[in-house]
Amino acid sequence: MQTFNEPMIHAQGVTKYYGPMVGCKDVSFDLWPGEVMGIVGESGSGKSTLLRCLSGRLDPTSGSVSYRSDEFGDVDVHDCSETVRRKLLRTELGVVHQNPRDGLRLGVTAGANLGERLMSVGARHYGNIRKEAAKWLGEVEIDADRIDHFPRTFSGGMQQRLQIACNLITSPRIVFMDEPTGGLDVSVQARLLDLLRNLVSRLGLSVILVTHDLAVARLLAHRLMVMKSGEVVESGLTDQVLDDPQHPYTQLLVSSILQA
Amino acid sequence: MTYQEDLMPGKSDATDNDAGYNYGYLNEQTKRMIRRAILKAVAIPGYQVPFAGREMPMPYGWGTGGIQLSACLLGPNDVFKVIDQGADDTTNAVSIRKFFARVTGVETTEKTGEATVIQTRHRIPEAPLQEDQIMVYQVPIPEPLRWVEPRESETRKMHALEEYGVMHVQLYEDIARHGRIATNFMYPVKVDGRYIMCPSPIPKFDNPKLDMSPALHLFGAGREKRIYAVPPYTDVKSLDFEDHPFQVESWDACCGLCGARDSYLDEVILNDEGERMFVCSDTDYCSSRRAQGNFGPMAGREDVAELMGESPQTA
């Protein structure tokens, strides 16, 4: 059924104005199955606005975003019923927030956080839900005996990994990540990146990754879009963009990385 | 108003109700507004209908939602019963019964079978309900999703889109922590295969009585200003897991006074030597069983005679 000659996401002229202010302007691209696309740029350049438009949580001023969904076929995210949009967000899409506390329920245990997405798509067998939750804790390298602990007792890195597991548990096909490594120390970041790279390639996920950290983008992304003041100033293969930046802003961005 | 006269034939000759108040305490416009909300609630089983709740002469939390419903329902020919945690003789029950005796002049009773309207705080009577009876519940928190989602805008959306997966998170937590579903009251139910509903804080023992009940069940939340309903013969299913099915409480003992094993029992501590007993929470059920000659193991004891009290005088 799965064909690889059609894009997973087709974005056409996505534009968002906040009053007279530009959030993002005329962004078009295709995302292919199994592809990781990085969106880089300085803070305030419209990365998160674009991500929110793409994941259907924010209505763009103009332009369209469509997914190729298993269940619903081609779906225009901003022109479908809210039922479909929210169903997609629970099943075929995943959103990893920069702050794990936005994506987790802090009042319930890790196991319940993991189980929630399963239960929301109809799982009603406690034993199976628990087994699946334990399996995914293992996947993101969290000790299985922390399944009944509250996320607030977890370290920042563990919370982030838990959030990622919560998204992947229903095997989504597209994952949106907003600065997944923000606020983590370097060694934790490295392990998280390693983990993400493994999961992404093993599960064949399509990922849109927003980051301001070019090192993260280089490690994870196949393709890059560079944004400045709401507009895409350059896009291309990651190595190409980072090794031979064409646009002055990209050149500035690349040259501002400290050389190790 | 002719409307009022139509509704209450024989008002003029009836009664000893307090002429200083409108019949049923609320004014006619308010009653009409609440009756509309009731009709809507009955039409959409389990859906919480907002209504313009009025201030009642008692604090929120004492049953302001319930008495607004009762005030709109009671006609001169009704027979009214009030129970509080199953008992007819506790303060809350006695005051509400007195209140309606005064403002409507209706006949009051303690017999479940004789009542046409039963206002209740947190119990459903043990005696089976009948088709012409209306149960009125006092509800503190009508929103079953409140525990997992504090935003009202979001819970309404979840109801509208039938996004109820998260309700099971609460049950999951119970099993993870206690090894079983430990929620014992306010146990969420699904009404008519559509809306998840909070059955007010009745013990889960009473949940099965809602299912396919011949009576009409109305729920009123005064502070939260919501009315919802379970119409007669409606499917009401308690939520559960396949491997942890819904179960009601059970007791090792029987009622110490009437020997009942099929009713909801309260534990009563008798003295400081660790003596305790279990008694029917439904006082009417217990006393009618005793009247039929059923006695429990402690029925003869003098020190518990107070519990058997000759049924308290009618207000």
Side-chain angles (χ1 to χ4, degrees), chain B residues 115-308:
Chain B
T116 56
V117 177
I118 304 176
Q119 180 168 339
T120 173
R121 177 165 168 260
H122 317 342
R123 272 313 310 280
I124 298 177
E126 306 290 354
L129 299 171
Q130 294 142 31
E131 280 189 358
D132 53 356
Q133 291 183 313
I134 301 178
M135 293 285 296
V136 173
Y137 298 77
Q138 307 169 192
V139 184
I141 302 167
E143 181 50 74
L145 298 163
R146 184 64 68 237
W147 183 84
V148 278
E149 180 52 69
R151 283 171 299 172
E152 176 71 18
S153 57
E154 184 66 14
T155 55
R156 287 200 205 181
K157 203 169 271 183
M158 289 161 84
H159 280 295
L161 300 175
E162 232 178 316
E163 278 182 14
Y164 289 140
V166 77
M167 273 320 288
H168 277 81
V169 170
Q170 180 183 1
L171 303 179
Y172 171 96
E173 286 285 86
D174 263 3
I175 304 175
R177 213 172 296 170
H178 306 288
R180 65 189 172 86
I181 298 178
T183 304
N184 280 332
F185 64 98
M186 239 156 92
Y187 193 103
V189 293
K190 189 165 212 170
V191 181
D192 200 24
R194 177 60 180 85
Y195 282 97
I196 298 267
M197 185 190 91
C198 163
S200 89
I202 58 173
K204 66 178 170 187
F205 182 87
D206 287 342
N207 275 16
K209 295 182 196 162
L210 283 169
D211 189 26
M212 287 295 154
S213 165
L216 168 63
H217 301 261
L218 296 175
F219 300 78
R223 185 183 357 227
E224 305 275 328
K225 300 186 177 27
R226 294 285 183 280
I227 289 171
Y228 52 103
V230 176
Y233 302 109
T234 303
D235 191 40
V236 177
K237 194 181 172 310
S238 305
L239 303 184
D240 59 0
F241 283 105
E242 287 158 14
D243 49 346
H244 287 267
F246 174 77
Q247 277 176 328
V248 299
E249 302 94 324
S250 60
W251 291 264
D252 296 331
C254 63
C255 170
L257 302 179
C258 76
R261 287 188 173 277
D262 57 351
S263 81
Y264 186 85
L265 302 180
D266 286 334
E267 187 178 3
V268 180
I269 309 281
L270 292 177
N271 52 36
D272 57 4
E273 284 150 23
E275 256 200 305
R276 61 192 61 203
M277 69 185 292
F278 287 91
V279 200
C280 290
S281 112
D282 186 337
T283 51
D284 173 52
Y285 183 72
C286 197
S287 57
S288 44
R289 270 180 59 87
R290 289 197 306 272
Q292 289 160 11
N294 299 300
F295 290 100
M298 302 179 89
R301 279 177 52 160
E302 296 235 330
D303 56 342
V304 299
E306 194 187 344
L307 282 170
M308 308 180 56

